[in-house]
Amino acid sequence: MSQVLVLVDHADGEVKKVTLELLTLARAIGDPVAVVVGAGAAQAAAALGEYGATAVYCADGDGFADTSVTPSVATLAQVVSELGPAAVLIPSSIDGKEIAARLAVRIGSGVITDAVSVAPGLQAEQSVFGGSTLVTSRVTHGTPIITVRPNSTPPSPAPTTPQTVDLSVTLSDTDRAASVTDRVAQERTGRPELTEAAIVVSGGRGVGSPEGFAVVEALADSLGAAVGASRAATDAGWYPHQYQVGQTGKTVSPQLYIANGISGAIQHRAGMQTSKTIVAVNKDAEAPIFDLVDFGVVGDLHKVLPQLTEAVAKRKA
Amino acid sequence: MKIVVCVKQVPDSWAEKKLDPADNTLDREAADAVVNELDEYAVEEALQIQERLGGPDSCTVTVLTMGPDKATESIRKALSMGADDAVHVVDGALHGSDAVATSLVLATAIQRLAPDLVILGSESTDARMSVVPAMVAERLSWPQLTFAGKVDLEESASTATVQRQTDYGYDVVSAPLPAVVSVVEKINEPRYPSFKGIMAAKKKSVETLSLADLGVAADDVGLAGAWSGVDSFAARPPRQAGTIVSDDGDGGLRLAEYLATQKFI
């Protein structure tokens, strides 16, 4: 059976959920081979085997920690040339898409980004134009490189005992030319990552102020959800830019999306329209967001959300 | 110091976009064309760097566009914001080019212009792949300083440092020039062209280049040269109309009830 490379998204060996989704997807195409770049490979191996990785290729070396993107490109290029896999699957993140981009040029392959599903024949489905159009595409040249959005496939375990292979990968001077001198983390919220979260609670113009986001955050915390914001809210400086959901921000596809005080302009819809269940709270009964919702409440979010948060807490108690 | 800013013309981001059933490419006639929003931030950043470095005598800003004849509108917009001149790669064979081919054309044109810095928007609002800046860097063998929320140039202008936006905050990334920078929207507030700027733009030079001028083979670009393609497409089935209730003091409770029936709580 042909092999399918899966680039592992991890933080010091702690494997992110999207990787388990990609391994699950890869099993329908061929034998999943996990590729772990950077420190923590040994720690990652067990989780990867749990989800069906038949082999775990690990690479870490000089300069790997001092730059981003290029160590993964160099490693994947080497594994592609050694194994000649059927495809390379990469998580659709900022780094993931850039890794796919450089790898495509380096190994002379076509690339598809933001797939929401990949068929065994490697046809990728994408949701484009703000979620209004579904496109089926395929790579027609080289080793197909496909980046896949988080939350596209429910991860399901299929335990194996993977063989671990340590690679020796040398970065070229070009690959090392951009150096990371500092990694600055904004305050840790303890909430799940926006693009990976099963539930996202977002606030927009209707939230009214930075302080207004307290009710949005309280609801998110009662549900164990991530917090998002519309561009109106991030442009106004009410909420940090990295939480922006929409055309020029993050694209999310959670099980449940709760839009609060968000009108639902195309800019925002582009980032959340593929959510499984959509709920909205908005004062304006005419807001276009209500065209998308499974359940909507016309009302003041500053009254509805605290009541909902309290009800959630009671039901969970 | 020489800066090249890549600008793409796209369908208006507020309009509904469509694919053309004839060849499964973007229907560029179906909506008004505008400068890709994030590219305006790229132009603004280039102009701000130019101002910091002492104006056009010490730093030039050249706009680079690949696109059909109509894309001259976007070039004029960038020139009226204040860019000095422009290069427009236009060739019938380019229609349907994928990102890989686009990066080949842009990188070849950039090599010819030999700038110290290339600045692009971090994604286009039509394709939304966010791959072209990284591909251009790979082709040029230049360092990439992408997804920048802030760009600093050293006094000597031999090193650039950016704040690369990440999921958890930002990374501080430095590289020697020449380098490829892509910007996110929080980086600045693009200026509106002034009347004077619009008048001045009419006199600025726009060099038109064909694929032959660049020495790029027509087979390597366009729909025929694409390394990925669209098999088919369809409109997303409309979502079923949902339940909408008015808050009569119990909106939160009714919403909780709904979430419970859906097993979210």
Side-chain angles (χ1 to χ4, degrees):
Chain A
M1 206 168 175
S2 55
Q3 290 168 312
V4 178
L5 302 190
V6 171
L7 179 65
V8 174
D9 192 358
H10 70 104
D12 293 327
E14 194 186 319
V15 177
K16 297 203 179 161
K17 188 173 120 229
V18 65
T19 301
L20 311 179
E21 296 168 6
L22 262 55
L23 287 171
T24 305
L25 194 57
R27 294 206 307 265
I29 304 166
D31 288 333
V33 172
V35 179
V36 186
V37 178
Q43 202 190 324
L48 300 171
E50 183 67 25
Y51 284 81
T54 55
V56 179
Y57 281 69
C58 312
D60 192 15
D62 263 2
F64 270 49
D66 306 327
T67 189
S68 32
V69 176
T70 47
S72 298
V73 178
T75 304
L76 285 171
Q78 192 168 320
V79 182
V80 167
S81 116
E82 275 179 31
L83 298 184
V88 181
L89 303 183
I90 298 174
S92 265
S93 59
I94 288 180
D95 280 10
K97 294 211 280 187
E98 291 202 323
I99 290 163
R102 295 192 74 129
L103 183 66
V105 169
R106 197 167 293 190
I107 67 174
S109 288
V111 59
I112 290 172
T113 59
D114 293 301
V116 293
S117 73
V118 183
L122 293 171
Q123 300 90 338
E125 190 174 55
Q126 295 162 294
S127 171
V128 303
F129 302 156
S132 67
T133 306
L134 289 169
V135 170
T136 306
S137 316
R138 73 170 78 226
V139 170
T140 51
H141 188 275
T143 305
I145 301 167
I146 303 172
T147 79
V148 183
R149 279 198 190 147
N151 288 329
S152 294
T153 309
S156 82
T160 54
T161 310
Q163 158 208 14
T164 301
V165 181
D166 281 314
L167 293 168
S168 165
V169 177
T170 309
L171 297 183
S172 68
D173 288 346
T174 304
D175 281 341
R176 299 181 65 162
S179 52
V180 177
T181 54
D182 197 9
R183 296 187 194 270
V184 180
Q186 253 122 27
E187 43 142 348
R188 297 252 164 215
T189 60
R191 298 188 186 105
E193 213 168 275
L194 185 53
T195 52
E196 291 214 327
I199 304 179
V200 174
V201 180
S202 280
R205 195 185 300 277
V207 174
S209 66
E211 300 73 35
F213 264 89
V215 296
V216 176
E217 290 185 331
L219 175 60
D221 292 341
S222 73
L223 292 164
V227 174
S230 73
R231 180 151 177 197
T234 57
D235 274 359
W238 298 344
Y239 217 68
H241 177 264
Q242 71 262 33
Y243 299 103
Q244 186 195 315
V245 172
Q247 191 154 240
T248 51
K250 301 270 162 63
T251 299
V252 300
S253 196
Q255 296 297 319
L256 171 64
Y257 188 87
I258 307 183
N260 303 290
I262 293 174
S263 67
I266 190 166
Q267 151 74 234
H268 191 72
R269 295 206 311 265
M272 47 66 75
Q273 197 158 349
T274 54
S275 305
K276 309 292 180 296
T277 297
I278 299 175
V279 166
V281 178
N282 202 301
K283 266 188 196 167
D284 177 8
E286 303 297 316
I289 193 80
F290 286 123
D291 296 339
L292 295 182
V293 299
D294 298 286
F295 194 90
V297 178
V298 180
D300 180 356
L301 68 95
H302 290 286
K303 296 190 177 121
V304 175
L305 264 50
Q307 189 179 53
L308 172 59
T309 304
E310 198 184 323
V312 172
K314 263 188 202 154
R315 281 173 192 268
K316 286 200 165 172
Chain B
M1 178 85 174
K2 186 170 183 177
I3 303 175
V4 166
V5 188
C6 295
V7 169
K8 183 183 185 186
Q9 189 171 55
V10 297
D12 188 348
S13 36
W14 297 91
E16 298 288 348
K17 291 178 269 286
K18 290 186 173 67
L19 289 171
D20 181 348
D23 63 1
N24 294 349
T25 63
L26 179 63
D27 185 347
R28 294 184 188 275
E29 303 300 318
D32 287 344
V34 298
V35 176
N36 177 47
E37 192 183 346
L38 284 165
D39 299 349
E40 290 189 24
Y41 292 78
V43 173
E44 177 63 33
E45 196 59 24
L47 294 174
Q48 290 189 12
I49 291 171
Q50 182 185 49
E51 284 157 12
R52 289 206 296 274
L53 293 179
D57 292 337
S58 40
C59 175
T60 58
V61 176
T62 299
V63 175
L64 171 60
T65 288
M66 170 185 132
D69 288 334
K70 199 171 143 72
T72 46
E73 299 161 9
S74 291
I75 291 174
R76 289 293 163 198
K77 170 90 185 275
L79 291 175
S80 58
M81 286 173 75
D84 300 301
D85 54 13
V87 172
H88 185 181
V89 183
V90 50
D91 197 306
L94 288 168
H95 173 77
S97 293
D98 63 4
V100 177
T102 301
S103 72
L104 171 67
V105 173
L106 292 178
T108 309
I110 289 163
Q111 255 160 350
R112 182 185 160 113
L113 293 164
D116 303 285
L117 201 57
V118 176
I119 308 182
L120 309 89
S122 54
E123 73 172 43
S124 64
T125 51
D126 51 358
R128 297 202 65 204
M129 292 180 76
S130 283
V131 293
V132 167
M135 286 178 173
V136 167
E138 176 75 22
R139 288 192 184 276
L140 293 168
S141 292
W142 292 2
Q144 66 172 63
L145 298 169
T146 44
F147 290 94
K150 188 171 189 294
V151 179
D152 288 311
L153 279 183
E154 264 184 12
E155 199 78 11
S156 60
S158 61
T159 305
T161 301
V162 304
Q163 290 183 357
R164 173 184 173 83
Q165 305 305 298
T166 61
D167 286 333
Y168 50 83
Y170 62 88
D171 288 349
V172 181
V173 190
S174 293
L177 302 188
V180 175
V181 168
S182 81
V183 301
V184 300
E185 76 205 8
K186 74 178 262 190
I187 194 165
N188 58 41
E189 198 54 59
R191 66 195 69 188
Y192 288 102
S194 64
F195 180 70
K196 201 175 141 208
I198 292 168
M199 295 313 286
K202 295 182 198 265
K203 299 199 185 81
K204 289 175 178 171
S205 136
V206 179
E207 186 186 7
T208 303
L209 297 176
S210 66
L211 286 172
D213 293 334
L214 287 176
V216 172
D219 294 352
D220 289 339
V221 299
L223 209 47
W227 289 355
S228 57
V230 172
D231 283 352
S232 62
F233 68 91
R236 168 177 291 277
R239 295 183 78 100
Q240 282 199 315
T243 309
I244 315 256
V245 301
S246 281
D247 177 30
D248 298 319
D250 62 350
L253 299 175
R254 295 177 74 179
L255 192 41
E257 190 57 40
Y258 172 78
L259 294 180
T261 60
Q262 299 297 312
K263 309 245 185 298
F264 287 114
I265 50 177

